[in-house]
Amino acid sequence: MEFEQLALERRSTRGFKPDRIPQEVIDEIVTVAKHCPSSMNTQPWYLHVVTGDVLDRIRTGNTEAMTSGVAPNREIRGHGRYEGEHRERQKRVAAQLFEAAGIGWDDKAQRQDWAMRGFRQFDAPVSMIGCIDRDLHDSTEAYFDLGQFFYGLVLAAWDRGIGAVINGQGIMQSAVVREHANIPEDQLIVITVAMGYPDDEFAANQVVSERRPTDEIVTYLGFDD
Ligand SMILES: Cc1cc2nc3c(=O)[nH]c(=O)nc-3n(C[C@H](O)[C@H](O)[C@H](O)COP(=O)(O)O)c2cc1C
């Protein structure tokens, strides 16, 4: 696929067929993604790709922790609650997803069920856990680098007919993820991505999220000189 088509057509996938992704295909995806730029070519990322029993243990552990009221224990600093225009955009995409999934905005039980799907990595056959070297935990560049690597992963996956959703919920209980995925102590858990072949019957997979107008994002200077 041409890059522009790929970038414009990609969207997050939150409903998956159970089919496993062959390990060789995952290897190809990672090999494409690792060509992203990184600060001083440090390439500070690590990827732990889990499937089968290991992923099931993470799903179960996340679910038990969330339902029994264990406080979230991420290893990264979070933003807290979004406010203002960020909150409005968060609500807008949630409304689009809930509408597609037939979830009433005020239906707490259905919304809770949707949230639990996120903690189960959307029941995807594969989850990738993204880490950086722990000694770079204060380096904003390292998180920027990992973000680029993850965008490469989701684009390379989409190019092969594989859907994905980058999933912050997946590391909300990082102690669970660390234990079952056997993450080395010198790595910091930052993010996950759930990946698999899209279930086309899952209506929320068709949601096209909105984007801010380009002229609101960009300030041009010196072009009229
Ligand atoms: C850092 C990050 C964390 C995310 N965490 C979640 C998440 O926990 N649950 C979820 O459903 N989507 C999550 N997403 C996906 C975003 O909601 C999605 O990318 C955004 O709404 C734009 O939609 P699109 O990917 O379909 O273009 C996350 C995306 C990023 C980049």
Side-chain angles (χ1 to χ4, degrees), residues 16-195:
F16 299 92
K17 294 179 182 163
D19 311 51
R20 280 198 182 188
I21 311 172
Q23 197 175 323
E24 313 82 75
V25 176
I26 296 174
D27 223 55
E28 280 174 25
I29 290 169
V30 178
T31 303
V32 171
K34 74 177 186 184
H35 284 273
C36 66
S38 64
S39 174
M40 317 254 180
N41 202 24
T42 44
Q43 307 172 59
W45 43 69
Y46 296 91
L47 202 60
H48 301 266
V49 185
V50 292
T51 190
D53 288 346
V54 181
L55 178 51
D56 284 341
R57 283 198 287 277
I58 292 173
R59 287 193 232 280
T60 305
N62 279 351
T63 304
E64 283 172 3
M66 293 311 295
T67 49
S68 64
V70 175
N73 51 57
R74 289 188 296 181
E75 299 179 358
I76 54 169
R77 266 180 295 138
H79 46 71
R81 188 184 145 90
Y82 283 124
E83 301 292 349
E85 60 186 313
H86 300 129
R87 174 84 180 132
E88 290 310 310
R89 290 190 202 114
Q90 177 189 10
K91 278 163 62 179
R92 175 69 190 132
V93 76
Q96 287 182 279
L97 290 165
F98 290 169
E99 189 186 353
I103 297 172
W105 189 256
D106 296 322
D107 190 328
K108 281 198 174 142
Q110 281 187 321
R111 285 177 61 147
Q112 173 69 3
D113 187 56
W114 178 267
M116 293 317 295
R117 291 175 50 81
F119 298 119
R120 294 199 310 271
Q121 321 267 358
F122 296 95
D123 299 321
V126 166
S127 169
M128 300 180 173
I129 303 148
C131 300
I132 58 168
D133 287 299
R134 187 181 288 278
D135 61 4
L136 296 180
H137 72 278
D138 271 341
S139 154
T140 306
E141 287 102 327
Y143 302 93
F144 183 88
D145 296 340
L146 187 70
Q148 302 195 89
F149 179 55
F150 264 57
Y151 188 44
L153 290 173
V154 299
L155 285 180
W158 191 260
D159 197 28
R160 288 163 175 74
I162 295 169
V165 59
I166 299 175
N167 184 25
Q169 286 169 284
I171 48 107
M172 211 58 94
Q173 296 291 344
S174 286
V176 169
V177 176
R178 177 167 288 286
E179 181 193 344
H180 295 296
N182 201 18
I183 309 284
E185 274 306 317
D186 60 357
Q187 295 178 24
L188 190 80
I189 299 175
V190 179
I191 194 72
T192 59
V193 59
M195 211 177 260

